[in-house]
Amino acid sequence: MPKPKSSTLQQHFVRQDILSLDQFDIDSLFKLFSITQQMRYFAQHSQPLDLLKGTITTLLFYEPSSRTFGSFTAAIKRLGGDTIDIQNPGQNSSVAKGETLKDTIRVFEAYSDLIVMRHPVTGAAKAAAKAAFFVPIINAGDGIGEHPTQALLDLYTIYEKFGRLDHLTCLFSGDLLNGRTIHSLLRGLSLFPGNTIYLLSPTSLKLKHEQLENFKKKGLKLIEISSEKAIPKTADVWYWTRIQKERFSDLTEYEKVKNALTITPQLLKHYAKKDMIIMHPLPRVGEIAISVDTDPRAVYLRSQVRNGMYLRMALVSLVLGKIG
Ligand code: NCD
């Protein structure tokens, strides 16, 4: 049976592609969160679940990944599902022989029930979803486009801490131009009223003007700042990101900005309030000092990572129609 076609999820995730945060409304988000909560309970109490028994998910990763790849693998295996693991098909497979994305997708939809794909080209997830007639595609990052599952776990982590996703003050810092996690997270936060986001980045890595205007239209209050000195002391969330080296065609440009913005205990002391959280999608490459890791406000190597696995357990189960 061909998969259903709909641009919004409307609480019905079954066999639907998950490509963008634009597909979500508040109800579908909270439905996902409530199942994530259940998955967390099961995982923390080591209760074996075989919800995904008999299912096969292809993990098709055209870009290096250990975290997201590992998180999906752990999520699926904890629920008794199987995976076909393909990393760097550009080097290791028929893609290296010249196979098109469309053909690759058609082959793996014949083998599996779901395809989770990461690809360096923006829009590739959408193209894959179009090519797949029968099985849903989950976008695990498409170029500088989006990274919906990362944003979903980020939103869940923020919700877990503050009990709300509205009227928050956030600071997003780093590579706002190329950081796909940022692009998805802004979409997610724009679903809720009263959110203010301060944007701090090197001038060359600012959010595209067009995107900025778009998010403002959606109701986000966006304030661009160009120096750490302008960081508000009221932020609930600091979301720091890596400068995306792989997106630079000229590495001397990367060298100029790579160490531009770093969280240190001193920076936190001056600008961060007590009741806030420090987030990062990982991997970090120096933009958060190691000495910050023991700060109780730092969640990036703690709940943020764990929540990723619980949320992916929930999302895959919903999409495969195993829970509802
Ligand atoms: C992010 C990505 O791939 O966009 N990583 C991840 O999925 N955890 C962020 C990054 O690579 O900087």
Side-chain angles (χ1 to χ4, degrees):
M1 203 187 16
K3 64 183 175 184
K5 287 197 170 37
S6 161
S7 55
T8 52
L9 294 164
Q10 294 155 346
Q11 294 203 42
H12 160 68
F13 289 72
V14 186
R15 298 179 69 225
Q16 295 219 42
D17 303 308
I18 307 292
L19 306 176
S20 164
L21 253 285
D22 283 340
Q23 292 167 271
F24 285 78
D25 58 13
I26 292 180
D27 288 344
S28 49
L29 210 57
F30 282 123
K31 175 170 182 167
L32 176 63
F33 288 178
S34 95
I35 294 172
T36 302
Q37 191 74 17
Q38 293 174 35
M39 293 299 173
R40 188 173 106 154
Y41 178 86
F42 290 128
Q44 284 181 342
H45 293 80
S46 300
Q47 296 205 1
L49 276 188
D50 58 3
L51 273 181
L52 297 181
K53 199 168 174 201
T55 69
I56 298 182
T57 298
T58 299
L59 301 175
L60 182 60
F61 278 58
Y62 288 84
E63 263 189 351
S65 169
S66 40
R67 263 139 284 265
T68 305
F69 191 88
S71 179
F72 269 108
T73 304
I76 292 165
K77 296 207 163 152
R78 274 183 183 271
L79 296 176
D82 266 322
T83 57
I84 301 175
D85 300 343
I86 301 174
Q87 295 227 52
N88 303 320
Q91 286 158 21
N92 303 332
S93 74
S94 300
V95 174
K97 300 178 194 161
E99 187 176 58
T100 63
L101 176 65
K102 197 170 165 189
D103 285 2
T104 305
I105 293 294
R106 297 299 304 279
V107 168
F108 284 96
E109 77 165 339
Y111 298 158
S112 53
D113 307 288
L114 168 68
I115 299 173
V116 177
M117 189 182 86
R118 169 170 290 191
H119 199 281
V121 175
T122 308
K126 205 170 168 192
K130 214 171 145 204
F133 289 126
F134 303 104
V135 311
I137 304 286
I138 295 182
N139 179 7
D142 64 320
I144 64 166
E146 282 207 55
H147 192 346
T149 61
Q150 179 69 44
L152 291 168
L153 76 92
D154 294 336
L155 290 167
Y156 179 79
T157 303
I158 298 171
Y159 182 69
E160 187 183 48
K161 165 70 188 171
F162 297 102
R164 65 176 206 278
L165 287 168
D166 56 282
H167 299 93
L168 292 163
T169 300
C170 305
L171 168 68
F172 286 6
S173 174
D175 191 343
L176 309 181
L177 176 69
N178 300 307
R180 56 196 172 197
T181 68
I182 294 278
H183 303 156
S184 288
L185 191 51
L186 283 168
R187 283 178 169 84
L189 286 171
S190 74
L191 293 173
F192 298 87
N195 288 323
T196 302
I197 324 279
Y198 287 79
L199 302 170
L200 172 63
S201 65
T203 318
S204 57
L205 299 175
K206 278 161 72 166
L207 191 68
K208 273 193 192 132
H209 183 72
E210 182 193 319
Q211 280 181 317
L212 188 90
E213 291 305 319
N214 235 334
F215 286 122
K216 280 187 181 168
K217 269 192 217 132
K218 286 186 176 183
L220 280 183
K221 188 169 176 197
L222 297 178
I223 303 171
E224 291 189 293
I225 55 176
S226 51
S227 150
E228 290 168 342
K229 293 196 183 82
I231 294 177
K233 294 192 175 171
T234 51
D236 304 298
V237 176
W238 284 23
Y239 191 95
W240 229 256
T241 60
R242 177 177 69 87
I243 307 294
Q244 308 279 298
K245 183 178 180 184
E246 64 277 30
R247 311 290 174 214
F248 284 73
S249 48
D250 178 357
L251 282 184
T252 55
E253 289 304 313
Y254 168 73
E255 291 298 326
K256 281 186 205 155
V257 288
K258 70 173 187 191
N259 297 321
L261 297 159
T262 308
I263 305 188
T264 59
Q266 290 79 350
L267 193 71
L268 287 167
K269 195 164 169 251
H270 280 106
Y271 299 102
K273 62 179 184 177
K274 245 185 169 167
D275 193 24
M276 51 80 78
I277 50 175
I278 308 160
M279 303 179 73
H280 192 300
L282 303 177
R284 80 170 142 184
V285 285
E287 58 279 352
I288 301 181
I290 307 286
S291 48
V292 173
D293 296 358
T294 49
D295 188 308
R297 296 169 292 185
V299 299
Y300 46 88
L301 286 168
R302 301 188 190 131
S303 59
Q304 199 182 351
V305 176
R306 291 177 198 281
N307 288 341
M309 183 178 70
Y310 308 142
L311 185 125
R312 289 176 174 119
M313 289 166 81
L315 185 65
V316 171
S317 301
L318 277 167
V319 170
L320 288 178
K322 302 298 181 190
I323 202 165

